[in-house]
Amino acid sequence: MNGWNRQKQDRDARLGAAATSASRKIVAADQAKALLEAVIRPGDRVCLEGDNQKQADFLAECLAAVDPQRIHDLHIVQSGLVLQAHIDLFEKGIARKLDFSYSGPQGAAIARALTGGRIELGAIHTYIELFARYFVDLTPHVALIAAVEADHAGNLYTGPNTEDTPTIVEATAFKSGIVIAQVNRIVDTLPRVDIPGDRVDFVIQVDRPFYVEPLFTRDPAAITETQILMAMMAIKGIYAEYGVTRLNHGIGFPTAAIELLLPTYGETLGLKGRIATHWALNPHPTLIPAIESGWVQQVHCFGSEVGMDNYMSARPDVFFTGHDGTLRSNRLLCQTAGLYACDMFIGSTLQVDLMGNSSTVTTGRIAGFGGAPNMGSDARGRRHPSPAWLKAGREAVDEPTTLTRGRKLVVQILETFGDKMTPNFVETLDAVAMAKDLHFELAPVMIYGDDVTHIVTEEGIANLLLCRGPGEREQAIRGVAGYTEVGRGRDPVAAEDLRRRGIIRRPEDLGIDLLAVSRQLLAARSIEDLARWSGGLYRPPSRFRNW
């Protein structure tokens, strides 16, 4: 091959090799493995659609079943590795190198594979970062994706869980790559066209729907009074004081508690219409009472959530829906909205150090970051003002000037101790030791401390914006770290001075009566309550149904 069309010639050769297993665009499921062995070459970059919810699970299993003598040393570039088949690729030698964002349930398996030398790690990315590299130096040779339906021309309908699909296809199809889609059904007419057929090379109808993880479902029954206390402090001490209207919530029970307190505790504070009106957020079921109570004006989603489809279709004034009436999600666009258009991110983590750096990478577990570093970073390219953004920026400097820039509010909300009474506050992140042991050039920090503006625990709120110098920052963090070793290392005199200056604020400083903290404050106290709030439109996954 020579000239300027080598990539196209390579594509034509791959399509020619596929002719024996695929005489046309529609391919039988029993020919899927043969198709993959025909179009994939050793050393290829392969994007196997593994989002943090939607999974091209059939194609993952087929890829894990190919002959390692024919297909090996693949470079996997995908946002989420959450299935066993994703790990099998590396265990069998089919794949060698990995660039990813999120691993969730496979975090321990990835750590073992890295330690055992079965994975060569490129990097743990944020979502936007990885998607951007698809168009620069991680462009896939082959993309394996999932959709709800296809027509006979290969046009795809992705339904509510569009997620990463448009980004993956765009990067692959317009650089002479091969795009293969597994679909639940092949139909004559689609509800809408999400991916044009001229970008799709092969379609495989599978005898089961692609897997979707209910990642953002939190059962209100599991919310504790400690988490309710933290939520009350956040609402009164941060949301209300900064007038936060545009925001993102991370996954976790403390943020679920906030969502369920808006129509109750938030109402008593007179905050309706003043906070939490516009969201970049997956369709959290715990947001239903706030939507039904008129708190929420608009939500744009990274992906869908199992059981929420009918509810979102019935609330088009709130959610982004197509003319067919179903949600249109888009992870890249929603991540960008969270980075640039939101004034606050609030989420949890597994470890926080003395400067506020945080990570979900702990000893023996590499869970990845997903979108938290995008949501939880101050976008220095932002140029539009808002009251919350400007107030945070002015607090961060001694003498505001006409050129003082604003700041995104980046809040870490977590209890001082986690599972099995493991301290969530540490002198040094486990990620630092892991980077040394595995020879990473960069320690896997999720959110850097210089982006964090507030830390909320059951002990109170530490406003890091008001700290002047690393010494005050350390004492502010120690001051809300409770009875962890970090917390016990506080200087009582310094902590009291920070409290006097409003840098550390205890519940009583915010006028919160500890005796008033109760699960009765939650607008819904069970999954059944959420379904009732929705008028029966929310259909919870079976594992959450207990009535």
Side-chain angles (χ1 to χ4, degrees):
M1 296 186 291
N2 51 46
W4 296 100
N5 293 301
R6 286 178 295 176
Q7 291 177 0
K8 184 179 183 303
Q9 292 171 35
D10 177 70
R11 167 183 162 80
D12 291 342
R14 293 172 188 249
L15 293 176
T20 56
S21 55
S23 58
R24 54 195 179 92
K25 184 165 287 193
I26 308 300
V27 179
D30 62 4
Q31 292 297 306
K33 183 168 78 75
L35 175 64
L36 298 184
E37 291 180 337
V39 301
I40 297 175
R41 305 282 186 267
D44 272 352
R45 284 186 299 273
V46 175
C47 184
L48 170 58
E49 186 164 25
D51 309 337
N52 64 4
Q53 293 170 280
K54 179 175 72 170
Q55 307 296 323
D57 51 346
F58 172 79
L59 289 175
E61 292 165 7
C62 290
L63 185 59
V66 300
D67 183 355
Q69 297 300 312
R70 297 183 59 178
I71 309 296
H72 52 83
D73 295 315
L74 298 180
H75 182 177
I76 300 298
V77 291
Q78 68 189 60
S79 61
L81 275 80
V82 301
L83 303 178
Q84 181 58 47
H86 297 155
I87 302 301
D88 291 343
L89 296 174
F90 296 94
E91 298 290 345
K92 295 179 179 180
I94 296 167
R96 175 65 180 171
K97 190 171 182 180
L98 173 64
D99 281 276
F100 78 113
S101 297
Y102 170 77
S103 59
Q106 298 300 336
I110 288 180
R112 289 193 297 270
L114 278 168
T115 303
R118 293 183 295 279
I119 291 180
E120 176 189 341
L121 183 65
I124 307 171
H125 301 71
T126 76
Y127 283 133
I128 294 178
E129 181 181 20
L130 181 62
F131 297 158
R133 290 190 68 188
Y134 288 171
F135 296 91
V136 180
D137 60 339
L138 292 182
T139 307
H141 296 101
V142 177
L144 309 177
I145 64 171
V148 175
E149 294 177 346
D151 64 17
H152 295 280
N155 298 301
L156 301 181
Y157 167 61
T158 53
N161 284 93
T162 301
E163 301 195 49
D164 303 7
T165 313
T167 305
I168 298 168
V169 172
E170 179 92 3
T172 307
F174 287 91
K175 211 66 183 68
S176 299
I178 304 293
V179 176
I180 302 173
Q182 72 169 75
V183 300
N184 300 344
R185 294 175 297 278
I186 295 176
V187 298
D188 293 328
T189 304
L190 297 176
R192 69 173 189 246
V193 174
D194 290 312
I195 305 293
D198 61 357
R199 302 176 191 179
V200 180
D201 297 294
F202 302 103
V203 173
I204 302 169
Q205 179 172 303
V206 182
D207 61 3
R208 66 177 191 266
F210 59 76
Y211 178 70
V212 182
E213 171 68 20
L215 189 63
F216 295 90
T217 298
R218 291 293 177 268
D219 188 344
I223 295 174
T224 67
E225 290 190 348
T226 297
Q227 292 158 350
I228 292 169
L229 171 62
M230 293 192 296
M232 293 170 70
M233 287 192 286
I235 290 172
K236 192 168 185 180
I238 301 175
Y239 291 57
E241 293 198 2
Y242 291 87
V244 176
T245 57
R246 308 178 307 179
L247 69 160
N248 166 261
H249 274 187
I251 305 173
F253 285 102
T255 45
I258 292 171
E259 291 157 17
L260 291 170
L261 287 176
L262 291 176
T264 57
Y265 181 65
E267 195 78 34
T268 66
L269 298 176
L271 296 176
K272 186 175 179 179
R274 295 171 49 199
I275 66 168
T277 56
H278 292 74
W279 300 70
L281 190 71
N282 274 76
H284 292 189
T286 44
L287 199 62
I288 290 173
I291 294 172
E292 295 300 302
S293 300
W295 279 72
V296 178
Q297 295 180 28
Q298 185 166 293
V299 181
H300 187 259
C301 300
F302 310 100
S304 187
E305 183 67 0
V306 179
M308 286 288 285
D309 294 348
N310 292 339
Y311 179 75
M312 292 183 293
S313 292
R315 301 291 182 269
D317 285 355
V318 174
F319 295 97
F320 285 72
T321 56
H323 297 304
D324 66 308
T326 65
L327 178 74
R328 166 69 175 199
S329 61
N330 187 304
R331 193 169 306 282
L332 174 59
L333 295 182
C334 198
Q335 288 287 327
T336 305
L339 177 62
Y340 278 102
C342 287
D343 293 324
M344 185 176 77
F345 162 81
I346 178 168
S348 300
T349 187
L350 297 180
Q351 284 189 340
V352 175
D353 70 10
L354 296 179
M355 287 294 103
N357 300 301
S358 68
S359 186
T360 52
V361 172
T362 55
T363 300
R365 185 171 182 264
I366 301 178
F369 307 135
N374 299 139
M375 305 291 104
S377 64
D378 184 39
R380 296 182 66 80
R382 174 174 165 169
R383 292 296 181 269
H384 71 281
S386 68
W389 185 75
L390 290 173
K391 177 178 171 66
R394 289 166 181 154
E395 286 188 350
V397 297
D398 290 321
E399 296 182 8
T401 69
T402 54
L403 293 180
T404 297
R405 67 194 311 151
R407 283 281 301 267
K408 178 191 282 186
L409 293 161
V410 176
V411 183
Q412 297 279 250
I413 183 167
L414 70 163
E415 296 176 63
T416 53
F417 287 90
D419 291 342
K420 300 178 181 178
M421 292 303 292
T422 301
N424 288 332
F425 288 85
V426 295
E427 299 273 345
T428 305
L429 298 176
D430 288 355
V432 174
M434 181 176 289
K436 182 178 180 180
D437 292 343
L438 296 177
H439 307 291
F440 292 171
E441 292 185 284
L442 184 67
V445 173
M446 183 174 71
I447 297 178
Y448 284 98
D450 56 7
D451 278 322
V452 177
T453 63
H454 296 76
I455 294 176
V456 182
T457 73
E458 70 273 21
E459 294 283 311
I461 299 175
N463 184 341
L464 304 183
L465 288 169
L466 298 175
C467 294
R468 297 296 179 258
E472 287 192 356
R473 189 180 188 87
E474 176 182 329
Q475 288 302 320
I477 292 171
R478 288 186 185 276
V480 296
Y483 291 97
T484 64
E485 186 175 342
V486 167
R488 294 196 305 273
R490 76 186 67 166
D491 179 338
V493 175
E496 195 55 38
D497 179 63
L498 293 177
R499 185 178 180 186
R500 179 182 56 80
R501 291 163 53 194
I503 294 174
I504 294 176
R505 301 174 78 184
R506 306 296 184 198
E508 54 268 33
D509 300 330
L510 293 165
I512 295 174
D513 181 1
L514 296 180
L515 296 178
V517 177
S518 166
R519 281 183 42 81
Q520 298 301 312
L521 289 173
L522 298 175
R525 294 185 286 278
S526 67
I527 291 288
E528 184 180 12
D529 286 349
L530 294 176
R532 189 179 301 113
W533 266 100
S534 75
L537 293 168
Y538 173 45
R539 305 294 300 275
S542 57
R543 77 190 200 206
F544 289 99
R545 294 179 65 89
N546 57 5
W547 68 94

